[in-house]
């Protein structure tokens, strides 16, 4: 994981991405009891390079990683033995990246999405495993309920959260 984080930080240092934060299952592991997770989800704010169809081009980042010897495996790039999925951030995720918590892992700094934003992102995805992570985050973490409510309201997730609590 140390090599993986170094490479992700290098992408930012080289200007291939503007910013990033770790999300998904690995982010949840910073706050709750361990569980099995397969990959590292990295929400990125990409350098705004659009092609003629107005799609954001990630090829400079992927070409850089390929030149360093990292290979693709499906939707992942394997860096230091860790399958990494780079996810271009939407508005909710951009805000989450901007408010991410800086942690240190084996001497390497990295950004991790806070529990409040993580809950909102997982809620929006809504898969069974996401709901289970939300429940654990609410039980095992000191979630700032006021901040969570602000995020849910801002991104239209309040009713979905309310129905989750009724289950």
């Amino acid at each position: 994981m140390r090599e993986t984080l170094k490479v992700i930080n290098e992408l930012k240092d080289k200007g291939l991405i503007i910013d990033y934060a770790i999300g998904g299952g690995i982010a949840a592991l910073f706050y709750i009891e361990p569980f099995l997770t397969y990959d590292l989800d990295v929400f990125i704010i990409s350098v705004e390079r659009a092609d003629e169809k107005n799609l954001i081009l990630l090829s400079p980042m992927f070409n850089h990683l390929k030149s360093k010897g990292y290979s693709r495996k499906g939707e992942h790039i394997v860096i230091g033995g860790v399958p990494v999925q780079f996810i271009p951030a939407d508005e909710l995720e951009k805000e989450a990246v901007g408010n991410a918590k800086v942690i240190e892992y084996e001497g390497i700094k990295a950004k991790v999405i806070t529990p409040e934003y993580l809950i909102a992102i997982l809620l929006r995805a809504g898969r069974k495993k996401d709901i289970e992570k939300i429940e654990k985050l609410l039980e095992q973490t000191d979630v700032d309920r006021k901040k969570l409510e602000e995020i849910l309201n801002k991104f239209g997730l309040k009713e979905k959260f309310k129905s989750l609590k009724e289950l």
Side-chain angles (χ1 to χ4, degrees):
M1 182 66 92
R2 190 172 195 281
E3 177 186 347
T4 309
L5 295 175
K6 282 177 77 171
V7 170
I8 294 167
N9 283 325
E10 181 182 282
L11 293 174
K12 183 177 175 186
D13 294 344
K14 289 187 174 286
L16 294 166
I17 59 174
I18 295 170
D19 205 357
Y20 78 92
I22 296 167
I26 299 291
L29 288 174
F30 282 96
Y31 306 109
I32 61 176
E33 293 174 3
F35 58 88
L36 184 63
T37 187
Y38 169 71
D39 64 354
L40 177 67
D41 294 330
V42 180
F43 291 95
I44 60 170
I45 299 175
S46 61
V47 178
E48 297 299 324
R49 295 183 182 120
D51 67 5
E52 63 278 352
K53 295 178 185 169
N54 209 24
L55 298 173
I56 296 171
L57 300 177
L58 299 176
S59 53
M61 177 185 72
F62 288 126
N63 290 339
H64 172 77
L65 292 169
K66 185 178 178 183
S67 76
K68 295 283 199 173
Y70 302 112
S71 61
R72 285 189 87 129
K73 184 177 180 184
E75 60 192 18
H76 299 91
I77 303 288
V78 180
I79 303 172
V82 177
V84 180
Q85 184 175 18
F86 291 97
I87 304 165
D90 63 16
E91 290 310 307
L92 167 58
E93 296 154 352
K94 282 180 183 177
E95 191 171 305
V97 169
N99 288 283
K101 175 179 169 182
V102 177
I103 57 102
E104 195 167 307
Y105 179 84
E106 295 184 2
I108 305 294
K109 290 187 179 184
K111 292 179 69 178
V112 177
I113 293 176
T114 63
E116 298 79 16
Y117 282 100
L118 193 53
I119 288 169
I121 293 167
L122 292 167
L123 179 65
R124 189 176 61 186
R127 300 169 299 185
K128 183 179 179 193
K129 66 181 185 175
D130 298 320
I131 302 306
E132 290 169 358
K133 287 181 189 102
I134 291 169
E135 290 168 348
K136 288 180 181 180
L137 284 162
L138 292 169
E139 290 169 9
Q140 300 173 19
T141 306
D142 187 20
V143 174
D144 181 337
R145 299 291 178 141
K146 184 178 179 194
K147 180 69 177 170
L148 176 60
E149 189 173 337
E150 289 171 8
I151 295 165
L152 296 174
N153 284 333
K154 182 174 183 178
F155 293 99
L157 295 166
K158 186 176 181 178
E159 290 304 313
K160 193 169 184 179
F161 184 74
K162 200 168 153 183
S163 66
L164 171 73
K165 287 173 62 177
E166 293 169 358
L167 294 177

